Amino acid sequence: LVRRFRSNGHLIARIDPLRGYQARPLNPDEPVVWHSRDDVKDLKAVLESYVEQEKAEKGGGRVGGGGCSRQRMLDLSPFGLEDVPETQLFDVRQWNVDSKMLGGSHATLRELVGFLVDRYCRTCSVEYMHIGIKEQREWLRSRFEDDVSLTSEIASIEEKKRSLKHLIHADILEHFLASRFPSAKKFGIEGCWSLIPGLFEILLTSAKLGVEHFEVGMTHRGRLNVLVNILQKPLRTVLGEFLRGSSSSSQSSSSSSSSSSSFSPSHSSSSSRERFHSGDVQYHLGAFSELDLTEIGGEVGETSGDRKICVSLNPNPSHLESINPVVMGKVRAKQAFLNDTQREKVLGILLHGDASFSGQGVVHETMELSNLDAYTVGGMVHVVINNQIGFTTDPRTGRSSIHPTNVAKGMGVPVFHVNGDCVQSVVKCSQLAAEFRAKFKKDAVINVVCYRKHGHNELDDPFITHPLTYRLIAEQPSTLQLYAKELREEGIEAASEPQILQEKESFLSMCDSELKLAKKYQPTAADLLMSHWQGDAMAELSRHSRPFNQTGVPKWMLKKVGQKATALPTNFAAHSRVEQIFAARNRAIETGKRLDFAFAEALAFGCLMLPFKAGDEAEGKRGTHEELVKRPMEKNAFIAPMVDHPTVSVRLSGQDCERGTFNQRHAAIIDQNTAARYVPLSHISDLQASFDVCNSSLSEEAVLGYEYGYSLENENALVIWEAQFGDFANNAQSMIDNFIASGEDKWLCQSGLVLLLPHGYEGQGPEHSSARLERFLQLVNDDEDRDLSSNSDVKTMLQMFSRLDSDKDGTLSLQEVKSLGMKEMESIVEWQSLKEIRPGTSTTATGGGGAIGSSSLGSGMDDSRVLKSDYIKMMMRWLARNEEAKHNMSVCNVTTPANYFHVLRRQIHRPYAKPLVLMSPKYLLHHAAAVSDIKEFETGTSFDRVISDRSPMNNLRDSFLALDPVPPSQTRKVLVCSGKIAYALHHTRKAKRGRDIVIVRLEQLAPFPAAEMTSVLGRYPNAQIVWVQEEPKNMGGWSYVHPRLSNILRTLIERGERRRGGETLDVVRYVGRAASATTACGSFTIHNKENRMVINDALS
């Protein structure tokens, strides 16, 4: 009997505010058969008889009335206890029942049943008997059964007043938004008002237990209320989003825009709003707040030094539950940054919907990470807003379990079930969940059973599909009304009608005031950003918190890392194959020859983890003036000395990534005798940053989302997710589409995450060949029709110069340049480099006084003046270095180890964070020709977006030159390709002695390197341009590169740098597999035949 109450009491608890039990027919004539309760018929019989006795006692002591003198007996027959005398006493201590709660160590069966009913069958219950750890079960049993504070009568007056105030504010805010914006979707909290006091209690209890930082993820339901009443986000910012969505606001905005200056962003209301207006609806937006709590947590906003907490509510898309792993990754990153190894200072809180919690697989995937060493965050608190419907789908047809939280039971997680209309029960369950998480560093789930007052949104009519339910909802008093009545009966003055009316009017007055301010409010990036470093990065268009540097490194550093990365401890019994690999790597680093992909990766990681001081290396190699102007980004690092950079943490995560899917990496070595694990890259230096390499669970969506969240929180870390095969990345497509590709555009969330997606056709079939390159190219915001004219940027710079030159003397002062918003212009490399362009003494500007020579710019910067020609050169360089900053991510398919090294380091050493999608190699990992020399890694080298046969960084250059190729003007064909097919083309060309064919490798496909490709193709004015790929025509890079290559040909012809030649010279030709519904064939024989056809066609 006792065990049944403890294990199944939650199934018959009155936690549904509408019906009591969580069961109902879909129509009046249908019996309640949803989720058979046969397994609790025994408990139900006991409960019903007990409740009937209880009612009889309250009504006069007899059942039935009407003169009937028979009192109904407690029905204990299902347990074989019907013959036990009512007065018989039992020692309750044998069942771990606290005798203090029963007034003694002995009790009758009726007293025992009453005790269990009160604890497990009222408005809250707990599901915990499935937990395998006895200590956790006993703690939950003790807290739920023995803690007198679980009864609302014992809760403090201040706690009740605080909850009442939260309810008032939540209720009035919803009414205010509904009255002012009746046609807008708000996805209000109505029906689950108790979420606000419950969520506050989680924050308060956790803060008292030492938590300082909170990461919150939630869906759209109730989000606006949480933003205003929990995070204390100024209501004007929320209302401003509604106003900007209305026609009146648009008219107001356009009129103010027309009267403002058209250039400076600082004084244009319209331009300011456009620049920082989020690309998402208001109920998806996030916020960051620092809150002060009083010692008892009475108010938010009151100063109390030891109760200051930081709360981030993360933005999320409409894909429910996809935010879960992102929040978890952010929590882990914060814990790492704070060295919070005990998982005490940072807590993740996730708010779910009932339909999504039971229906979305990412919930299970994320919870499976909770106890893994490389992913654990010490538990999170989950709150399920169980409004008993999913859009229009009834739970009876939407899940197979009574509760939506059954997925959590597989993790051994306690679930607190609570009636959403019983505020004090919600508060107490929130406190218990926070305490359990803090004590056991394990997840806890709160199932708040409530209802949804309106339809899916406020414009939807729910009566169409659920007439009976919504008749009940229409008659249901609000939680505020029920709670106020309860407190008035307890004699609490704050719940009196005059006091409640006063609080309502006060909050409503604040809302009206904020609405007036919202009409004049101009949002800034700070309103949308959630962490301090992102705010620094976006505060000014010209200011970057990330120092950029060369991607090449000194030879001494390469050798140091290489030697340490190939060293094993004494008496460590590595596998013989691993010993061979490490010996080969050691020879490569000593000779400086034949470094392969896996070793290049290890060198990139190791060099990033070591600190670098500029004094350790000379200024480095410098390119010519022409190279500096034409080459983008990293090349411009040559115009200034290498700068100091701190250590950079490296985190590599994915399925089988420690060894590597293709037996290539061996980042973690296993002793063959003891199974001890050794990670060489963690033993480079005592001064190095951390290196985390971790095999993940067999999950794509959750693990990728976790690493994305980690990358958001720590910009000084190289975070990499590797798919087992690139083909499996589409299991995480929603994470790629909704966060990685669009997160910055929607929410200003900058991420430098790297995706390694093994890609290449080797005859392994449809699911082991393609990472779906075409899908990632489609996601990049790269315009195929951009102007390739070399004069367009110069014209723009001249117009800008004319506007900035306020005194019209033909020169610019530093102050004039700063009017662009470049307040730290003196720290910009291009400004410092003016002395490299115009060394020597001062010159005289045309049309006016003397201009200080560029060589004197170091001191007295404010007095310096810049000539128009110098300004154009400086800004062109700045534009070149930042040309890819406007794009959302990069997509690359590198073919040399050196280029792989550089593109990984580029993620850290460029002045902005962008995701990098790498079609990583498989075949090339072990291909004898796919190697690089150490000189291609050294200072002065960089990532090459395009590698042609004559490029210095081409690892096949010597082999090409050995063919004695014809002059460029006589070249017959230029084969443009990407990936490993370049090697097959070269080897076949070499065998056929193809002297008049050139191969150009497109190492970075997106953003498309138009300038470099134009420069390369311009050398071959008489050659046919052919795009060659392994993939079918409707896949791969063809659809993306075709219009861009065609644009280059048109530009070259218009410039007179390429002759016209009809279909032969004016059109880009395709060579590859025919269009197909599947990525690859399943037959190895057919695969080889197709390969030969593609290669022969390209070289014919």
Side-chain angles (χ1 to χ4, degrees), residues 448-468:
V448 183
V449 184
C450 52
Y451 56 91
R452 191 186 67 194
K453 186 170 183 178
H454 305 290
H456 180 64
N457 60 67
E458 289 75 8
L459 309 182
D460 189 41
D461 185 359
F463 279 90
I464 296 174
T465 56
H466 289 77
L468 302 184

Side-chain angles (χ1 to χ4, degrees), residues 913-976:
K914 300 287 178 179
L916 168 65
V917 179
L918 268 176
M919 302 290 112
S920 54
K922 297 183 290 183
Y923 170 78
L924 295 185
L925 293 171
H926 303 291
H927 185 50
V931 292
S932 299
D933 292 342
I934 197 170
K935 65 181 180 181
E936 295 163 10
F937 298 75
E938 294 181 27
T939 306
T941 58
S942 66
F943 175 64
D944 273 349
R945 292 162 178 77
V946 177
I947 296 180
S948 65
D949 278 331
R950 289 181 168 83
S951 297
M953 294 287 285
N954 180 11
N955 57 346
L956 302 176
R957 184 170 183 264
D958 293 342
S959 180
F960 167 73
L961 295 177
L963 293 173
D964 188 22
V966 301
S969 61
Q970 298 176 25
T971 297
R972 179 173 58 89
K973 263 186 182 180
V974 175
L975 305 180
V976 185

Side-chain angles (χ1 to χ4, degrees), residues 449-636:
V449 184
C450 52
Y451 56 91
R452 191 186 67 194
K453 186 170 183 178
H454 305 290
H456 180 64
N457 60 67
E458 289 75 8
L459 309 182
D460 189 41
D461 185 359
F463 279 90
I464 296 174
T465 56
H466 289 77
L468 302 184
T469 297
Y470 273 86
R471 285 175 196 161
L472 290 176
I473 291 174
E475 298 169 358
Q476 181 78 1
S478 71
T479 305
L480 174 60
Q481 291 172 322
L482 293 173
Y483 193 53
K485 180 181 178 182
E486 177 185 333
L487 297 188
R488 281 196 293 271
E489 291 175 352
E490 294 179 17
I492 297 178
E493 185 180 355
S496 65
E497 292 186 3
Q499 293 251 14
I500 290 179
L501 181 61
Q502 181 180 349
E503 184 64 33
K504 285 182 176 181
E505 291 176 346
S506 174
F507 190 80
L508 186 60
S509 175
M510 182 276 293
C511 292
D512 286 328
S513 299
E514 289 291 298
L515 180 59
K516 294 176 182 177
L517 294 173
K519 295 176 181 178
K520 303 176 182 178
Y521 180 73
Q522 297 181 16
T524 66
D527 295 329
L528 305 176
L529 300 174
M530 297 167 302
S531 63
H532 300 299
W533 76 263
Q534 291 178 24
D536 291 341
M538 294 294 294
E540 300 161 0
L541 296 178
S542 65
R543 181 173 174 233
H544 301 285
S545 63
R546 294 163 57 93
F548 81 97
N549 213 339
Q550 295 194 40
T551 57
V553 299
K555 186 174 182 179
W556 66 262
M557 181 180 285
L558 291 166
K559 297 199 74 169
K560 176 178 180 179
V561 172
Q563 290 165 353
K564 292 288 187 179
T566 57
L568 293 173
T570 306
N571 299 324
F572 190 92
H575 192 279
S576 58
R577 175 60 179 149
V578 175
E579 290 179 339
Q580 294 172 10
I581 292 173
F582 274 40
R585 291 178 183 178
N586 189 264
R587 286 194 300 272
I589 200 65
E590 293 301 329
T591 61
K593 301 290 185 181
R594 303 190 61 77
L595 283 73
D596 63 15
F597 269 92
F599 197 22
E601 178 187 79
L603 292 175
F605 293 166
C607 292
L608 284 172
M609 291 188 290
L610 289 180
F612 180 81
K613 299 292 184 184
D616 295 339
E617 177 74 1
E619 289 191 354
K621 303 173 185 178
R622 299 174 183 274
T624 64
H625 169 62
E626 289 73 19
E627 287 175 335
L628 295 177
V629 173
K630 291 181 180 179
R631 301 288 297 185
M633 235 162 4
E634 298 79 18
K635 290 288 185 181
N636 289 289

Side-chain angles (χ1 to χ4, degrees), residues 187 216-221 223 278-286 313-327 350-353 356 360 362 456 530 701 705 708-709 712 732-749:
F187 296 96
V216 183
M218 69 178 297
T219 56
H220 45 275
R221 179 77 54 205
R223 191 179 192 90
S278 167
D280 210 345
V281 292
Q282 61 266 33
Y283 42 82
H284 285 174
L285 301 183
L313 177 60
N314 290 268
N316 68 278
S318 288
H319 290 62
L320 305 179
E321 308 297 342
S322 60
I323 190 63
N324 299 359
V326 178
V327 169
L350 294 175
L351 278 61
H352 313 267
S356 59
Q360 292 291 310
V362 69
H456 180 64
M530 297 167 302
E701 183 175 5
Y708 171 76
L712 287 177
Q733 197 65 49
S734 65
M735 199 63 63
I736 294 166
D737 293 344
N738 300 310
F739 289 93
I740 295 171
S742 58
E744 181 178 8
D745 199 41
K746 291 190 293 187
W747 313 311
L748 301 183
C749 292

